[in-house]
Amino acid sequence: MIKLYRHPISGHAHRAELMLSLLDIPHELIDVDLLKGEQRASEFLALNPFGQVPVIDDEGTIISDSNAILVYLARKYGNGDWLPKDAVGASAVQKWLSVAAGAIATGPALARLVVLFKTNHDHEAAKQVANKLFAQMDQVLSDHTFLVGEHATIADVAGYSYIAHAPEGGVSLDPYPHIRVWLSRIESLKGFVPMQKTDVNVAA
């Protein structure tokens, strides 16, 4: 059984949990208390020297980084739809994985981090990045069912968690109707599991 080391309000960790569930892969969730610094413990650093969640342990195969985990799970356990094998399809997915590691991380994910954990990052700048990205995505999704074509891929899984929870960072989704429809489509997929919602006062 695959072990997933995660924190329940980490969007990066939720990507891995969501992919495991969508693929109907038996797995065990192991919580890592980031606020207590468990990610810096020697036992965890042996799994991921970067001290970050998520990490999966697939019967001794250790994979860290949320996007790397998505690629691994799709390739090993998917049917080919989640990560296209053709050059054009694979490159289209990779583009959105880069967006997940770029504008999503520095936009909605960072804005949420500031609100939940009171970090010193520029909240207004993060919201500006998020809104610019959302305007671009909303246009793309105006004539796409999913980010890459007509069925879900790991591009959608990589994008979902922090975008769905953008309001927790003070970024409204109201101006982006096509994004909201896209989120609903992901939530209707068989095996979908939500990420824990967070009261913004919890981490104050």
Side-chain angles (χ1 to χ4, degrees), residues 99-200:
V99 170
I104 289 177
T106 58
L110 186 59
R112 180 174 175 266
L113 186 71
V114 172
V115 171
L116 296 186
F117 298 104
K118 310 303 180 186
T119 66
N120 293 324
H121 300 92
D122 188 331
H123 188 228
E124 288 304 315
K127 290 197 294 182
Q128 288 177 13
V129 171
N131 282 304
K132 180 180 178 180
L133 170 65
F134 290 175
Q136 295 166 335
M137 289 185 68
D138 204 63
Q139 181 62 39
V140 170
L141 289 164
S142 67
D143 60 1
H144 284 67
T145 303
F146 291 100
L147 290 176
V148 179
E150 297 305 307
H151 59 79
T153 67
I154 61 172
D156 302 287
V157 178
Y160 173 83
S161 305
Y162 285 119
I163 294 176
H165 288 256
E168 294 178 1
V171 183
S172 175
L173 295 173
D174 290 346
Y176 310 108
H178 302 297
I179 286 180
R180 288 186 277 110
V181 170
W182 167 72
L183 293 172
S184 295
R185 289 189 182 118
I186 295 172
E187 291 161 3
S188 69
L189 294 172
K190 182 180 180 181
F192 173 82
V193 289
M195 181 167 75
Q196 177 178 308
K197 291 185 178 180
T198 306
D199 184 335
V200 295

